[in-house]
Amino acid sequence: MALYDSKTGNVRKTYTVEELTEAAKQMRAYNLISLCAAGSGHSGGTLSMMDYTAALYLHTANLDPENPDWDDRDRIIWSTGHKAPNLYIGLGFAGYFDKDDVVRLRRLWSPYQGHPHWKKLPGVEVSTGSLGQGLSIGIGMALRGKLDKKDFMVYVLNGDGEQQEGQIWEAAMEAGHFKLDNLVSIIDYNRLQIDGKVEDVMGIDPLKEKYESFGWHVIECDGHDMQQVVDSLDQAKNYTGKPIAIIAHTVKGKGVSFMEDKAGWHGKPPSYDELEKALDELGLRSSIDYDGLLERAKSYQAEVDQKLAAKQPKFSADFWWNQQDNMKVDMDPTRMGFGRALADKGGDERILALGMDISGSITIDQFYKNNPERKPRFISVGIAEQSGTALAAGLAREGKLPVIGTYGVFASGRNLDQVRTTLAYGQHPVLIAGAHGGVSVGPDGATHQALEDISIMSCIPGMRVSAPSDSMETYKATVGLMFDEDGPKFIRFAREATPVITTEDTPYVFGKANVIRFRGEQARFIDAFEHTLAENYTNENEDLAFIACGPMVPEAMRAAWILKRDYNLETRIVNVHTIKPLDREAIVRAAAETGCIVTAEEHQVGGMGNWISSAILQDPRSAQRGCKFGMIGVQDRFGESGAPWELIKEFEVSAEHIAQKAKELLGK
């Protein structure tokens, strides 16, 4: 039984194995269309798990699409949250909503987030995204079922690379201990993860024997033979006495020849031409109106664009990046500066780089990419941030200079205790790269957008915290932190390409802020500004000051241009590339000499701003004059899926919002 009418107890619809096979093929097509429409997402793993998606949602799990919260329903948890399209497509085909609507995948304000959020879409059981946590959630649900004598089953979808997370094995121990035979973990054993083959990154075998040793019953099957898939789920549902693990042997990218068994398709969507080729291979190009579906996505995007434009503060012209004939700017991701620094300076034998499965994305792989002799000093720990952090402490204790890196949400949050107690308390010289900071990460959504990392890391005793403004400054900060700063250190940088506003000759001293002044419009944006070490800057009696960090520094510069053009206001921009230790003197001078401060951060508001306000309020010079004060940042919200620059507008951290805040404070 599967699709129920919970009011009458009748089955709404049943599917034969042949019908499930056809449904899985249709689901693969919708998956690829939605990924193409989004322009981002994960092709490989979504395709590898589509047969189980079809079987679970249309055959095995007891669900009622007209009563999504029916208490006796079976629960399906996608612990591998990046495979959210499987979840959405499964629900769509089961009748929870119009399946064509999934083409809004990863778009702003859409319920089909890059990683699932249960509050946004009926039928989604839990919000997931940080790997390794779904199985523990499933144990909680299964325990509740046992305690309340419910008959529902709990299905958790896990990846094989996900087995590298330590929490998986804590959960495996718990489930075996409690003998949760209403819990089924389905493991997508496709043998590939972002950094390559699972066995090369961090081997997980013998997986069957490991689960059995934890008290699980294990079923292995061909994850693409629908009869075996259905049989494995039926066996699991009828087994008693132990939790059940289904090891589904699958092929990443299954169904599309040029995607199959290729790690490069893990986090890559198809182009339009690739979509057409894939639909040809699936035999569905002529039977699915994919152009109509893509047009539906475009129409939705047009509505988003219109709403975003309406909420942007308005000025005399369109001052957005590269929209005018002058003030042109080059764009480069700040993460590239990190990678270049490792490539240039990684020859020092003391340096070791630790990869955590997203090595190419955060550019830590540049350490060895063109220098194969360094490969022995690149240590892959797989998807195991907590253990990798403590491992780095051990290397540092032995005289090495480890560099570890992952997404900022995991670098600061997932392994906080290891950072605090093992690294910081021990004062070990480990450089932590917190990549993909801020909402500009884009369509991956809230689970992958670091908005709390500055606050977390800045509160840890002895931690140095850097948020460079562009790729050049990221290069300088990375080199300085590696060699010149002792103890634990954290560098925060973004994913998206952002304006390049500094050069090799721009002053940079760790722990010392820079003052930036707009000197008049130029052909190139970078040439319109002058940078000076704050300690060498002479007061010019500006009307106000912006104090910013990271990619908000270019936004503050653009805001200064807007205010000069429209209101003839002079603005001092203070680039706080080092948040800890903070250049308090530069901040207090800006407050005392201008009397008006606006802080700007792509972070929960106050992460940097509270440090700034504290420095100002504690200095008597500020009190003598008085200071108007405002903060720009994310206003106590989690992130959203959407295009990076859309999110800068949606979360009101653009130059226009900085300038608007200044106008309000100054009464303009």
Side-chain angles (χ1 to χ4, degrees), residues 22 43 62 73 114 141 236-237 353 356 476 494 520 612 656 658:
E22 178 60 28
S43 296
N62 294 330
R73 73 192 182 281
M141 290 180 164
K237 199 160 194 173
M356 296 178 174
K476 294 175 183 177
I612 303 303
E656 286 76 7
I658 299 171

Side-chain angles (χ1 to χ4, degrees), residues 199-500:
E199 63 181 359
D200 294 335
V201 175
M202 182 58 62
I204 60 173
D205 286 325
L207 196 58
K208 178 176 183 290
E209 289 78 3
K210 285 179 180 177
Y211 271 94
E212 287 175 339
S213 72
F214 278 91
W216 289 59
H217 175 64
V218 181
I219 301 168
E220 292 194 76
C221 76
D222 179 345
H224 301 308
D225 181 320
M226 189 58 76
Q227 186 64 62
Q228 290 191 42
V229 169
V230 168
D231 288 347
S232 71
L233 290 169
D234 288 346
Q235 290 176 43
K237 199 160 194 173
N238 294 317
Y239 189 85
T240 59
K242 294 180 180 181
I244 303 95
I246 298 175
I247 300 176
H249 293 270
T250 62
V251 175
K252 202 149 193 167
K254 179 65 177 179
V256 181
S257 62
F258 57 86
M259 294 182 181
E260 286 188 355
D261 207 27
K262 291 181 173 61
W265 280 99
H266 173 93
K268 181 182 173 184
S271 66
Y272 182 81
D273 289 343
E274 290 166 337
L275 172 64
E276 291 194 318
K277 291 177 184 177
L279 293 175
D280 274 335
E281 292 192 15
L282 292 169
L284 296 172
R285 184 172 171 184
S286 61
S287 59
I288 294 180
D289 181 15
Y290 58 94
D291 279 327
L293 290 169
L294 294 175
E295 189 58 40
R296 181 171 177 155
K298 289 180 183 177
S299 296
Y300 176 75
Q301 185 59 48
E303 295 175 14
V304 169
D305 293 343
Q306 188 175 21
K307 290 177 182 177
L308 274 181
K311 68 179 292 187
Q312 275 282 91
K314 301 297 187 294
F315 295 93
S316 64
D318 184 354
F319 289 91
W320 195 256
W321 297 110
N322 291 330
Q323 292 302 301
Q324 296 206 20
D325 293 335
N326 62 354
M327 298 290 278
K328 299 296 185 183
V329 70
D330 295 325
M331 298 280 188
D332 190 42
T334 49
R335 58 186 167 135
M336 296 304 178
F338 173 71
R340 290 172 196 136
L342 291 178
D344 288 353
K345 305 298 181 181
D348 189 310
E349 292 290 328
R350 296 172 298 166
I351 297 176
L352 292 93
L354 276 67
M356 296 178 174
D357 191 45
I358 49 174
S359 305
S361 182
I362 72 167
T363 72
I364 200 170
D365 64 342
Q366 298 302 307
F367 172 73
Y368 70 86
K369 205 156 192 179
N370 295 317
N371 300 93
E373 73 281 1
R374 300 178 189 171
K375 193 64 185 289
R377 289 189 284 121
F378 182 83
I379 301 170
S380 176
V381 299
I383 308 169
E385 300 89 353
Q386 294 161 310
S387 181
T389 299
L391 186 159
L395 289 168
R397 183 66 180 86
E398 294 298 321
K400 300 299 184 181
L401 297 176
V403 180
I404 67 175
T406 182
Y407 295 156
V409 286
F410 309 142
S412 63
R414 176 117 200 180
N415 57 353
L416 174 58
D417 189 45
Q418 286 75 13
V419 170
R420 176 188 180 273
T421 306
T422 303
L423 288 190
Y425 186 54
Q427 283 295 289
H428 297 300
V430 175
L431 173 56
I432 307 164
H436 294 36
V439 292
S440 59
V441 171
D444 273 346
T447 59
H448 284 54
Q449 293 165 359
L451 296 177
E452 303 80 25
D453 49 329
I454 291 176
S455 296
I456 292 169
M457 288 301 192
S458 296
C459 286
I460 296 175
M463 181 68 70
R464 291 126 176 95
V465 179
S466 175
S469 63
D470 67 357
S471 57
M472 175 58 73
E473 202 165 72
T474 303
Y475 179 99
K476 294 175 183 177
T478 302
V479 173
L481 287 167
M482 281 195 294
F483 297 109
D484 301 333
E485 299 299 320
D486 199 13
K489 41 243 178 165
F490 178 76
I491 184 169
R492 181 187 205 246
F493 49 85
R495 181 186 191 280
E496 180 67 7
T498 55
V500 177

